[in-house]
Amino acid sequence: GAGVSQSPSNKVTEKGKDVELRCDPISGHTALYWYRQSLGQGLEFLIYFQGNSAPDKSGLPSDRFSAERTGGSVSTLTIQRTQQEDSAVYLCASSLGLAFSTDTQYFGPGTRLTVL
Amino acid sequence: KNQVEQSPQSLIILEGKNCTLQCNYTVSPFSNLRWYKQDTGRGPVSLTIMTFSENTKSNGRYTATLDADTKQSSLHITASQLSDSASYICVVSALRYNTDKLIFGTGTRLQVFP
């Protein structure tokens, strides 16, 4: 596709429910990143994938958060037993992954998650 | 502790004027510094990426500078336009093992008025 796409664009859920967020990176991009942006806060790094493996999971806020990537393409971020503090915009980005330290990351539009 | 601080928190300028946004960081070991522009409701868009050896980099009307000694960066916007209204985010990479860990500033909210 032309850019990074994410779905759904908006998700409203009840506290305690599980949610799954999806990211489709730019075709050919081997690196994929997940971030969280809470209201009035800066971007928070969650996890990144190089291919299907995740070298750095240190940003995941708790064990309720998990992510996977299959086929080196689509990634899903799963939040189990959602809490109100999980409400945020979840952003996905992808990059070529050739030179990690200086790759330009291309961001998707985000998924706005609201936990009631 | 690795931190990235940006100033000012918000800024209002008139169309056509120049402005400079600041980014101070305490990140070690330093890998690179990026500036992003984020329009309201959109994902961030990369403006510049600078490594340790680069002092300045331009992207159209945007010019970023980096002083690795003082650990400061600035983003200068020339002849501002209404479309420059956005949040500008400074991101510093800390080299950890063989991967980068990204540390984000909270951004400067710029509003350009006609």
Side-chain angles (χ1 to χ4, degrees), chain A residues 35 37 42-43 45 48 55-56 58-59 91 100-105 107-109, chain B residues 31-32 34 36 38 41 43-44 46 49 51 89 96 99-102 104-106:
Chain A
Y35 300 90
Q37 189 169 34
L43 278 170
F45 169 79
Y48 101 90
D56 189 354
S58 63
L91 290 162
F100 180 82
S101 63
T102 53
D103 268 5
T104 295
Q105 296 182 27
F107 282 78
Chain B
S31 178
N32 63 70
R34 314 166 189 230
Y36 286 93
Q38 185 175 22
S46 179
I49 301 175
T51 58
I89 304 168
R96 187 179 77 152
T99 67
D100 280 358
K101 185 173 182 67
L102 302 179
F104 289 80
T106 53

PDB file of all heavy atoms in Angstrom, chain A residues 35 37 42-43 45 48 55-56 58-59 91 100-105 107-109, chain B residues 31-32 34 36 38 41 43-44 46 49 51 89 96 99-102 104-106:
ATOM      1  N   TYR A  35       3.855   2.379  19.211  1.00  0.00           N
ATOM      2  CA  TYR A  35       3.977   3.452  20.189  1.00  0.00           C
ATOM      3  C   TYR A  35       2.607   3.719  20.797  1.00  0.00           C
ATOM      4  O   TYR A  35       1.569   3.374  20.234  1.00  0.00           O
ATOM      5  CB  TYR A  35       4.468   4.756  19.536  1.00  0.00           C
ATOM      6  CG  TYR A  35       5.808   4.672  18.861  1.00  0.00           C
ATOM      7  CD1 TYR A  35       5.920   4.319  17.527  1.00  0.00           C
ATOM      8  CD2 TYR A  35       6.968   4.978  19.570  1.00  0.00           C
ATOM      9  CE1 TYR A  35       7.152   4.256  16.904  1.00  0.00           C
ATOM     10  CE2 TYR A  35       8.208   4.920  18.955  1.00  0.00           C
ATOM     11  CZ  TYR A  35       8.288   4.560  17.621  1.00  0.00           C
ATOM     12  OH  TYR A  35       9.514   4.504  17.017  1.00  0.00           O
ATOM     13  N   GLN A  37       0.421   7.016  22.639  1.00  0.00           N
ATOM     14  CA  GLN A  37       0.396   8.448  22.933  1.00  0.00           C
ATOM     15  C   GLN A  37      -0.846   8.746  23.756  1.00  0.00           C
ATOM     16  O   GLN A  37      -1.963   8.744  23.237  1.00  0.00           O
ATOM     17  CB  GLN A  37       0.401   9.274  21.648  1.00  0.00           C
ATOM     18  CG  GLN A  37       0.603  10.754  21.875  1.00  0.00           C
ATOM     19  CD  GLN A  37       0.875  11.487  20.573  1.00  0.00           C
ATOM     20  OE1 GLN A  37       0.353  11.130  19.520  1.00  0.00           O
ATOM     21  NE2 GLN A  37       1.709  12.512  20.623  1.00  0.00           N
ATOM     22  N   GLY A  42       3.769  12.672  25.707  1.00  0.00           N
ATOM     23  CA  GLY A  42       4.584  12.413  24.527  1.00  0.00           C
ATOM     24  C   GLY A  42       4.409  10.984  24.054  1.00  0.00           C
ATOM     25  O   GLY A  42       3.752  10.167  24.688  1.00  0.00           O
ATOM     26  N   LEU A  43       5.014  10.689  22.931  1.00  0.00           N
ATOM     27  CA  LEU A  43       4.994   9.333  22.414  1.00  0.00           C
ATOM     28  C   LEU A  43       5.764   8.404  23.342  1.00  0.00           C
ATOM     29  O   LEU A  43       6.820   8.758  23.852  1.00  0.00           O
ATOM     30  CB  LEU A  43       5.618   9.281  21.027  1.00  0.00           C
ATOM     31  CG  LEU A  43       4.728   9.663  19.854  1.00  0.00           C
ATOM     32  CD1 LEU A  43       5.573   9.801  18.602  1.00  0.00           C
ATOM     33  CD2 LEU A  43       3.644   8.635  19.647  1.00  0.00           C
ATOM     34  N   PHE A  45       7.406   4.592  23.463  1.00  0.00           N
ATOM     35  CA  PHE A  45       7.781   3.416  22.686  1.00  0.00           C
ATOM     36  C   PHE A  45       7.308   2.158  23.399  1.00  0.00           C
ATOM     37  O   PHE A  45       7.493   2.001  24.596  1.00  0.00           O
ATOM     38  CB  PHE A  45       9.304   3.387  22.515  1.00  0.00           C
ATOM     39  CG  PHE A  45       9.843   2.103  21.965  1.00  0.00           C
ATOM     40  CD1 PHE A  45       9.763   1.828  20.610  1.00  0.00           C
ATOM     41  CD2 PHE A  45      10.430   1.166  22.795  1.00  0.00           C
ATOM     42  CE1 PHE A  45      10.269   0.643  20.096  1.00  0.00           C
ATOM     43  CE2 PHE A  45      10.936  -0.016  22.291  1.00  0.00           C
ATOM     44  CZ  PHE A  45      10.860  -0.280  20.947  1.00  0.00           C
ATOM     45  N   TYR A  48       9.369  -3.092  19.148  1.00  0.00           N
ATOM     46  CA  TYR A  48       9.647  -3.061  17.720  1.00  0.00           C
ATOM     47  C   TYR A  48       9.995  -4.457  17.220  1.00  0.00           C
ATOM     48  O   TYR A  48      10.489  -5.297  17.958  1.00  0.00           O
ATOM     49  CB  TYR A  48      10.717  -2.031  17.372  1.00  0.00           C
ATOM     50  CG  TYR A  48      12.104  -2.569  17.130  1.00  0.00           C
ATOM     51  CD1 TYR A  48      12.518  -2.947  15.862  1.00  0.00           C
ATOM     52  CD2 TYR A  48      13.022  -2.659  18.167  1.00  0.00           C
ATOM     53  CE1 TYR A  48      13.794  -3.419  15.631  1.00  0.00           C
ATOM     54  CE2 TYR A  48      14.300  -3.135  17.942  1.00  0.00           C
ATOM     55  CZ  TYR A  48      14.688  -3.518  16.677  1.00  0.00           C
ATOM     56  OH  TYR A  48      15.958  -3.975  16.458  1.00  0.00           O
ATOM     57  N   PRO A  55      13.315  -7.705  19.047  1.00  0.00           N
ATOM     58  CA  PRO A  55      14.520  -7.588  19.864  1.00  0.00           C
ATOM     59  C   PRO A  55      14.328  -6.769  21.133  1.00  0.00           C
ATOM     60  O   PRO A  55      15.058  -6.950  22.099  1.00  0.00           O
ATOM     61  CB  PRO A  55      15.511  -6.879  18.931  1.00  0.00           C
ATOM     62  CG  PRO A  55      14.948  -7.008  17.566  1.00  0.00           C
ATOM     63  CD  PRO A  55      13.475  -7.089  17.739  1.00  0.00           C
ATOM     64  N   ASP A  56      13.361  -5.853  21.110  1.00  0.00           N
ATOM     65  CA  ASP A  56      13.208  -4.946  22.239  1.00  0.00           C
ATOM     66  C   ASP A  56      11.740  -4.895  22.647  1.00  0.00           C
ATOM     67  O   ASP A  56      10.926  -4.298  21.954  1.00  0.00           O
ATOM     68  CB  ASP A  56      13.732  -3.546  21.889  1.00  0.00           C
ATOM     69  CG  ASP A  56      13.794  -2.625  23.086  1.00  0.00           C
ATOM     70  OD1 ASP A  56      13.326  -3.016  24.192  1.00  0.00           O
ATOM     71  OD2 ASP A  56      14.297  -1.500  22.934  1.00  0.00           O
ATOM     72  N   SER A  58      11.027  -3.929  25.828  1.00  0.00           N
ATOM     73  CA  SER A  58      11.131  -3.270  27.124  1.00  0.00           C
ATOM     74  C   SER A  58      10.074  -2.214  27.364  1.00  0.00           C
ATOM     75  O   SER A  58       9.811  -1.860  28.517  1.00  0.00           O
ATOM     76  CB  SER A  58      12.515  -2.626  27.258  1.00  0.00           C
ATOM     77  OG  SER A  58      12.685  -1.622  26.270  1.00  0.00           O
ATOM     78  N   GLY A  59       9.465  -1.709  26.290  1.00  0.00           N
ATOM     79  CA  GLY A  59       8.487  -0.648  26.452  1.00  0.00           C
ATOM     80  C   GLY A  59       7.092  -1.123  26.806  1.00  0.00           C
ATOM     81  O   GLY A  59       6.242  -0.314  27.179  1.00  0.00           O
ATOM     82  N   LEU A  91      -0.017   4.104  17.990  1.00  0.00           N
ATOM     83  CA  LEU A  91       0.558   4.379  16.675  1.00  0.00           C
ATOM     84  C   LEU A  91       1.499   3.269  16.256  1.00  0.00           C
ATOM     85  O   LEU A  91       2.244   2.729  17.066  1.00  0.00           O
ATOM     86  CB  LEU A  91       1.331   5.704  16.707  1.00  0.00           C
ATOM     87  CG  LEU A  91       0.478   6.970  16.831  1.00  0.00           C
ATOM     88  CD1 LEU A  91       1.324   8.135  17.296  1.00  0.00           C
ATOM     89  CD2 LEU A  91      -0.165   7.303  15.494  1.00  0.00           C
ATOM     90  N   PHE A 100      19.197   0.484  11.057  1.00  0.00           N
ATOM     91  CA  PHE A 100      18.204   0.765  12.087  1.00  0.00           C
ATOM     92  C   PHE A 100      18.376   2.128  12.715  1.00  0.00           C
ATOM     93  O   PHE A 100      17.409   2.841  12.965  1.00  0.00           O
ATOM     94  CB  PHE A 100      18.259  -0.316  13.162  1.00  0.00           C
ATOM     95  CG  PHE A 100      17.267  -0.089  14.259  1.00  0.00           C
ATOM     96  CD1 PHE A 100      15.957  -0.478  14.114  1.00  0.00           C
ATOM     97  CD2 PHE A 100      17.648   0.554  15.426  1.00  0.00           C
ATOM     98  CE1 PHE A 100      15.031  -0.241  15.113  1.00  0.00           C
ATOM     99  CE2 PHE A 100      16.731   0.784  16.432  1.00  0.00           C
ATOM    100  CZ  PHE A 100      15.420   0.378  16.275  1.00  0.00           C
ATOM    101  N   SER A 101      19.610   2.494  12.995  1.00  0.00           N
ATOM    102  CA  SER A 101      19.811   3.716  13.775  1.00  0.00           C
ATOM    103  C   SER A 101      19.404   4.969  13.020  1.00  0.00           C
ATOM    104  O   SER A 101      19.121   5.984  13.641  1.00  0.00           O
ATOM    105  CB  SER A 101      21.270   3.840  14.200  1.00  0.00           C
ATOM    106  OG  SER A 101      22.095   3.960  13.061  1.00  0.00           O
ATOM    107  N   THR A 102      19.365   4.907  11.707  1.00  0.00           N
ATOM    108  CA  THR A 102      19.042   6.124  10.973  1.00  0.00           C
ATOM    109  C   THR A 102      17.872   5.944  10.007  1.00  0.00           C
ATOM    110  O   THR A 102      17.607   6.799   9.190  1.00  0.00           O
ATOM    111  CB  THR A 102      20.251   6.638  10.175  1.00  0.00           C
ATOM    112  OG1 THR A 102      20.745   5.570   9.356  1.00  0.00           O
ATOM    113  CG2 THR A 102      21.353   7.110  11.100  1.00  0.00           C
ATOM    114  N   ASP A 103      17.171   4.825  10.128  1.00  0.00           N
ATOM    115  CA  ASP A 103      15.993   4.630   9.283  1.00  0.00           C
ATOM    116  C   ASP A 103      14.951   5.704   9.538  1.00  0.00           C
ATOM    117  O   ASP A 103      14.701   6.076  10.678  1.00  0.00           O
ATOM    118  CB  ASP A 103      15.342   3.278   9.599  1.00  0.00           C
ATOM    119  CG  ASP A 103      15.859   2.164   8.726  1.00  0.00           C
ATOM    120  OD1 ASP A 103      16.786   2.411   7.940  1.00  0.00           O
ATOM    121  OD2 ASP A 103      15.337   1.047   8.841  1.00  0.00           O
ATOM    122  N   THR A 104      14.319   6.158   8.498  1.00  0.00           N
ATOM    123  CA  THR A 104      13.148   7.015   8.647  1.00  0.00           C
ATOM    124  C   THR A 104      11.950   6.129   8.942  1.00  0.00           C
ATOM    125  O   THR A 104      11.702   5.159   8.231  1.00  0.00           O
ATOM    126  CB  THR A 104      12.895   7.823   7.366  1.00  0.00           C
ATOM    127  OG1 THR A 104      13.971   8.721   7.162  1.00  0.00           O
ATOM    128  CG2 THR A 104      11.601   8.619   7.485  1.00  0.00           C
ATOM    129  N   GLN A 105      11.229   6.455   9.992  1.00  0.00           N
ATOM    130  CA  GLN A 105      10.039   5.695  10.336  1.00  0.00           C
ATOM    131  C   GLN A 105       8.814   6.397   9.762  1.00  0.00           C
ATOM    132  O   GLN A 105       8.655   7.608   9.908  1.00  0.00           O
ATOM    133  CB  GLN A 105       9.915   5.573  11.852  1.00  0.00           C
ATOM    134  CG  GLN A 105      11.049   4.793  12.489  1.00  0.00           C
ATOM    135  CD  GLN A 105      10.888   4.643  13.976  1.00  0.00           C
ATOM    136  OE1 GLN A 105       9.777   4.656  14.497  1.00  0.00           O
ATOM    137  NE2 GLN A 105      11.996   4.496  14.666  1.00  0.00           N
ATOM    138  N   PHE A 107       4.802   6.652   9.921  1.00  0.00           N
ATOM    139  CA  PHE A 107       3.764   6.357  10.887  1.00  0.00           C
ATOM    140  C   PHE A 107       2.399   6.172  10.235  1.00  0.00           C
ATOM    141  O   PHE A 107       2.080   6.814   9.228  1.00  0.00           O
ATOM    142  CB  PHE A 107       3.652   7.484  11.918  1.00  0.00           C
ATOM    143  CG  PHE A 107       4.730   7.442  12.963  1.00  0.00           C
ATOM    144  CD1 PHE A 107       6.002   7.898  12.691  1.00  0.00           C
ATOM    145  CD2 PHE A 107       4.467   6.936  14.224  1.00  0.00           C
ATOM    146  CE1 PHE A 107       6.998   7.857  13.653  1.00  0.00           C
ATOM    147  CE2 PHE A 107       5.448   6.900  15.205  1.00  0.00           C
ATOM    148  CZ  PHE A 107       6.718   7.358  14.918  1.00  0.00           C
ATOM    149  N   GLY A 108       1.594   5.308  10.840  1.00  0.00           N
ATOM    150  CA  GLY A 108       0.197   5.188  10.480  1.00  0.00           C
ATOM    151  C   GLY A 108      -0.629   6.238  11.187  1.00  0.00           C
ATOM    152  O   GLY A 108      -0.103   6.997  12.009  1.00  0.00           O
ATOM    153  N   PRO A 109      -1.923   6.285  10.906  1.00  0.00           N
ATOM    154  CA  PRO A 109      -2.800   7.312  11.499  1.00  0.00           C
ATOM    155  C   PRO A 109      -3.161   7.029  12.940  1.00  0.00           C
ATOM    156  O   PRO A 109      -3.672   7.916  13.637  1.00  0.00           O
ATOM    157  CB  PRO A 109      -4.031   7.275  10.603  1.00  0.00           C
ATOM    158  CG  PRO A 109      -4.060   5.870  10.085  1.00  0.00           C
ATOM    159  CD  PRO A 109      -2.624   5.455   9.926  1.00  0.00           C
TER     160      PRO A 109
ATOM    161  N   SER B  31      23.012   7.917  19.943  1.00  0.00           N
ATOM    162  CA  SER B  31      23.079   7.314  18.619  1.00  0.00           C
ATOM    163  C   SER B  31      22.663   8.324  17.553  1.00  0.00           C
ATOM    164  O   SER B  31      23.413   8.590  16.633  1.00  0.00           O
ATOM    165  CB  SER B  31      22.198   6.073  18.546  1.00  0.00           C
ATOM    166  OG  SER B  31      22.235   5.525  17.244  1.00  0.00           O
ATOM    167  N   ASN B  32      21.462   8.856  17.662  1.00  0.00           N
ATOM    168  CA  ASN B  32      21.020   9.881  16.721  1.00  0.00           C
ATOM    169  C   ASN B  32      19.852  10.665  17.289  1.00  0.00           C
ATOM    170  O   ASN B  32      19.296  10.295  18.330  1.00  0.00           O
ATOM    171  CB  ASN B  32      20.642   9.269  15.359  1.00  0.00           C
ATOM    172  CG  ASN B  32      19.471   8.308  15.476  1.00  0.00           C
ATOM    173  OD1 ASN B  32      18.350   8.715  15.709  1.00  0.00           O
ATOM    174  ND2 ASN B  32      19.745   7.022  15.314  1.00  0.00           N
ATOM    175  N   ARG B  34      16.246  12.818  16.130  1.00  0.00           N
ATOM    176  CA  ARG B  34      15.260  13.014  15.071  1.00  0.00           C
ATOM    177  C   ARG B  34      14.264  14.105  15.478  1.00  0.00           C
ATOM    178  O   ARG B  34      13.935  14.232  16.648  1.00  0.00           O
ATOM    179  CB  ARG B  34      14.471  11.732  14.812  1.00  0.00           C
ATOM    180  CG  ARG B  34      15.312  10.476  14.709  1.00  0.00           C
ATOM    181  CD  ARG B  34      14.470   9.213  14.796  1.00  0.00           C
ATOM    182  NE  ARG B  34      15.320   8.033  14.916  1.00  0.00           N
ATOM    183  CZ  ARG B  34      15.197   6.952  14.156  1.00  0.00           C
ATOM    184  NH1 ARG B  34      14.286   6.909  13.214  1.00  0.00           N
ATOM    185  NH2 ARG B  34      15.991   5.919  14.332  1.00  0.00           N
ATOM    186  N   TYR B  36      10.339  15.230  14.510  1.00  0.00           N
ATOM    187  CA  TYR B  36       9.109  14.836  13.837  1.00  0.00           C
ATOM    188  C   TYR B  36       8.107  15.983  13.910  1.00  0.00           C
ATOM    189  O   TYR B  36       8.082  16.743  14.871  1.00  0.00           O
ATOM    190  CB  TYR B  36       8.468  13.619  14.509  1.00  0.00           C
ATOM    191  CG  TYR B  36       9.154  12.305  14.253  1.00  0.00           C
ATOM    192  CD1 TYR B  36      10.122  11.815  15.128  1.00  0.00           C
ATOM    193  CD2 TYR B  36       8.814  11.523  13.153  1.00  0.00           C
ATOM    194  CE1 TYR B  36      10.741  10.602  14.895  1.00  0.00           C
ATOM    195  CE2 TYR B  36       9.425  10.296  12.920  1.00  0.00           C
ATOM    196  CZ  TYR B  36      10.381   9.836  13.801  1.00  0.00           C
ATOM    197  OH  TYR B  36      10.983   8.633  13.567  1.00  0.00           O
ATOM    198  N   GLN B  38       3.980  16.465  13.931  1.00  0.00           N
ATOM    199  CA  GLN B  38       2.742  15.714  14.079  1.00  0.00           C
ATOM    200  C   GLN B  38       1.549  16.647  14.009  1.00  0.00           C
ATOM    201  O   GLN B  38       1.332  17.457  14.915  1.00  0.00           O
ATOM    202  CB  GLN B  38       2.721  14.922  15.388  1.00  0.00           C
ATOM    203  CG  GLN B  38       1.502  14.022  15.518  1.00  0.00           C
ATOM    204  CD  GLN B  38       1.539  13.148  16.753  1.00  0.00           C
ATOM    205  OE1 GLN B  38       2.231  13.454  17.723  1.00  0.00           O
ATOM    206  NE2 GLN B  38       0.787  12.049  16.725  1.00  0.00           N
ATOM    207  N   GLY B  41      -4.295  14.720  15.210  1.00  0.00           N
ATOM    208  CA  GLY B  41      -5.029  13.560  14.732  1.00  0.00           C
ATOM    209  C   GLY B  41      -4.299  12.716  13.707  1.00  0.00           C
ATOM    210  O   GLY B  41      -4.875  11.777  13.150  1.00  0.00           O
ATOM    211  N   GLY B  43      -0.416  10.704  12.429  1.00  0.00           N
ATOM    212  CA  GLY B  43       0.831  10.155  12.929  1.00  0.00           C
ATOM    213  C   GLY B  43       1.983  11.114  12.685  1.00  0.00           C
ATOM    214  O   GLY B  43       1.899  11.989  11.822  1.00  0.00           O
ATOM    215  N   PRO B  44       3.075  10.984  13.415  1.00  0.00           N
ATOM    216  CA  PRO B  44       4.232  11.870  13.217  1.00  0.00           C
ATOM    217  C   PRO B  44       4.882  11.636  11.857  1.00  0.00           C
ATOM    218  O   PRO B  44       4.879  10.525  11.338  1.00  0.00           O
ATOM    219  CB  PRO B  44       5.188  11.465  14.340  1.00  0.00           C
ATOM    220  CG  PRO B  44       4.376  10.677  15.306  1.00  0.00           C
ATOM    221  CD  PRO B  44       3.293  10.035  14.515  1.00  0.00           C
ATOM    222  N   SER B  46       8.534  12.291   9.822  1.00  0.00           N
ATOM    223  CA  SER B  46       9.941  12.593  10.058  1.00  0.00           C
ATOM    224  C   SER B  46      10.382  13.833   9.281  1.00  0.00           C
ATOM    225  O   SER B  46      10.084  13.981   8.102  1.00  0.00           O
ATOM    226  CB  SER B  46      10.799  11.393   9.639  1.00  0.00           C
ATOM    227  OG  SER B  46      12.158  11.662   9.824  1.00  0.00           O
ATOM    228  N   ILE B  49      16.924  13.521  10.523  1.00  0.00           N
ATOM    229  CA  ILE B  49      17.645  12.588  11.389  1.00  0.00           C
ATOM    230  C   ILE B  49      19.103  13.006  11.372  1.00  0.00           C
ATOM    231  O   ILE B  49      19.682  13.218  10.305  1.00  0.00           O
ATOM    232  CB  ILE B  49      17.549  11.135  10.885  1.00  0.00           C
ATOM    233  CG1 ILE B  49      16.107  10.669  10.805  1.00  0.00           C
ATOM    234  CG2 ILE B  49      18.334  10.205  11.801  1.00  0.00           C
ATOM    235  CD1 ILE B  49      15.968   9.283  10.191  1.00  0.00           C
ATOM    236  N   THR B  51      23.052  12.197  13.031  1.00  0.00           N
ATOM    237  CA  THR B  51      23.950  11.384  13.833  1.00  0.00           C
ATOM    238  C   THR B  51      24.961  12.275  14.552  1.00  0.00           C
ATOM    239  O   THR B  51      24.967  13.494  14.369  1.00  0.00           O
ATOM    240  CB  THR B  51      24.680  10.360  12.962  1.00  0.00           C
ATOM    241  OG1 THR B  51      25.403  11.063  11.938  1.00  0.00           O
ATOM    242  CG2 THR B  51      23.681   9.420  12.294  1.00  0.00           C
ATOM    243  N   ILE B  89       8.193  17.105  17.648  1.00  0.00           N
ATOM    244  CA  ILE B  89       8.684  16.161  18.644  1.00  0.00           C
ATOM    245  C   ILE B  89      10.146  15.850  18.384  1.00  0.00           C
ATOM    246  O   ILE B  89      10.535  15.544  17.257  1.00  0.00           O
ATOM    247  CB  ILE B  89       7.859  14.858  18.606  1.00  0.00           C
ATOM    248  CG1 ILE B  89       6.364  15.166  18.791  1.00  0.00           C
ATOM    249  CG2 ILE B  89       8.344  13.894  19.682  1.00  0.00           C
ATOM    250  CD1 ILE B  89       5.470  13.998  18.483  1.00  0.00           C
ATOM    251  N   ARG B  96      21.768   0.834  22.690  1.00  0.00           N
ATOM    252  CA  ARG B  96      21.764  -0.176  23.747  1.00  0.00           C
ATOM    253  C   ARG B  96      21.987  -1.535  23.098  1.00  0.00           C
ATOM    254  O   ARG B  96      21.190  -1.937  22.257  1.00  0.00           O
ATOM    255  CB  ARG B  96      20.444  -0.150  24.506  1.00  0.00           C
ATOM    256  CG  ARG B  96      20.422  -1.042  25.729  1.00  0.00           C
ATOM    257  CD  ARG B  96      19.104  -0.943  26.447  1.00  0.00           C
ATOM    258  NE  ARG B  96      18.083  -1.711  25.743  1.00  0.00           N
ATOM    259  CZ  ARG B  96      17.036  -2.254  26.329  1.00  0.00           C
ATOM    260  NH1 ARG B  96      16.872  -2.106  27.630  1.00  0.00           N
ATOM    261  NH2 ARG B  96      16.140  -2.906  25.633  1.00  0.00           N
ATOM    262  N   THR B  99      20.861  -2.420  19.440  1.00  0.00           N
ATOM    263  CA  THR B  99      19.622  -1.785  18.986  1.00  0.00           C
ATOM    264  C   THR B  99      19.530  -0.394  19.581  1.00  0.00           C
ATOM    265  O   THR B  99      20.230  -0.056  20.530  1.00  0.00           O
ATOM    266  CB  THR B  99      18.369  -2.584  19.424  1.00  0.00           C
ATOM    267  OG1 THR B  99      18.265  -2.522  20.853  1.00  0.00           O
ATOM    268  CG2 THR B  99      18.467  -4.021  18.989  1.00  0.00           C
ATOM    269  N   ASP B 100      18.689   0.396  19.004  1.00  0.00           N
ATOM    270  CA  ASP B 100      18.451   1.742  19.517  1.00  0.00           C
ATOM    271  C   ASP B 100      17.210   1.760  20.391  1.00  0.00           C
ATOM    272  O   ASP B 100      16.216   1.109  20.072  1.00  0.00           O
ATOM    273  CB  ASP B 100      18.218   2.723  18.361  1.00  0.00           C
ATOM    274  CG  ASP B 100      19.518   3.152  17.720  1.00  0.00           C
ATOM    275  OD1 ASP B 100      20.572   2.728  18.193  1.00  0.00           O
ATOM    276  OD2 ASP B 100      19.454   3.912  16.751  1.00  0.00           O
ATOM    277  N   LYS B 101      17.293   2.507  21.459  1.00  0.00           N
ATOM    278  CA  LYS B 101      16.113   2.734  22.285  1.00  0.00           C
ATOM    279  C   LYS B 101      15.709   4.188  22.088  1.00  0.00           C
ATOM    280  O   LYS B 101      16.523   5.087  22.268  1.00  0.00           O
ATOM    281  CB  LYS B 101      16.416   2.475  23.748  1.00  0.00           C
ATOM    282  CG  LYS B 101      15.180   2.568  24.646  1.00  0.00           C
ATOM    283  CD  LYS B 101      15.497   2.132  26.048  1.00  0.00           C
ATOM    284  CE  LYS B 101      14.249   2.180  26.933  1.00  0.00           C
ATOM    285  NZ  LYS B 101      13.255   1.173  26.507  1.00  0.00           N
ATOM    286  N   LEU B 102      14.504   4.416  21.690  1.00  0.00           N
ATOM    287  CA  LEU B 102      14.041   5.762  21.371  1.00  0.00           C
ATOM    288  C   LEU B 102      13.460   6.430  22.607  1.00  0.00           C
ATOM    289  O   LEU B 102      12.616   5.861  23.293  1.00  0.00           O
ATOM    290  CB  LEU B 102      12.988   5.716  20.265  1.00  0.00           C
ATOM    291  CG  LEU B 102      13.423   5.074  18.962  1.00  0.00           C
ATOM    292  CD1 LEU B 102      12.280   5.081  17.957  1.00  0.00           C
ATOM    293  CD2 LEU B 102      14.611   5.813  18.379  1.00  0.00           C
ATOM    294  N   PHE B 104      11.500   9.878  23.688  1.00  0.00           N
ATOM    295  CA  PHE B 104      10.730  10.945  23.078  1.00  0.00           C
ATOM    296  C   PHE B 104      10.585  12.138  24.005  1.00  0.00           C
ATOM    297  O   PHE B 104      10.358  11.980  25.206  1.00  0.00           O
ATOM    298  CB  PHE B 104       9.325  10.458  22.714  1.00  0.00           C
ATOM    299  CG  PHE B 104       9.293   9.500  21.561  1.00  0.00           C
ATOM    300  CD1 PHE B 104       9.594   8.172  21.739  1.00  0.00           C
ATOM    301  CD2 PHE B 104       8.956   9.942  20.300  1.00  0.00           C
ATOM    302  CE1 PHE B 104       9.574   7.288  20.675  1.00  0.00           C
ATOM    303  CE2 PHE B 104       8.918   9.067  19.230  1.00  0.00           C
ATOM    304  CZ  PHE B 104       9.221   7.740  19.422  1.00  0.00           C
ATOM    305  N   GLY B 105      10.679  13.344  23.435  1.00  0.00           N
ATOM    306  CA  GLY B 105      10.281  14.541  24.145  1.00  0.00           C
ATOM    307  C   GLY B 105       8.763  14.668  24.082  1.00  0.00           C
ATOM    308  O   GLY B 105       8.109  13.975  23.300  1.00  0.00           O
ATOM    309  N   THR B 106       8.218  15.538  24.905  1.00  0.00           N
ATOM    310  CA  THR B 106       6.760  15.709  24.929  1.00  0.00           C
ATOM    311  C   THR B 106       6.283  16.678  23.857  1.00  0.00           C
ATOM    312  O   THR B 106       5.087  16.835  23.663  1.00  0.00           O
ATOM    313  CB  THR B 106       6.284  16.190  26.299  1.00  0.00           C
ATOM    314  OG1 THR B 106       7.021  17.355  26.659  1.00  0.00           O
ATOM    315  CG2 THR B 106       6.482  15.116  27.352  1.00  0.00           C
TER     316      THR B 106
END
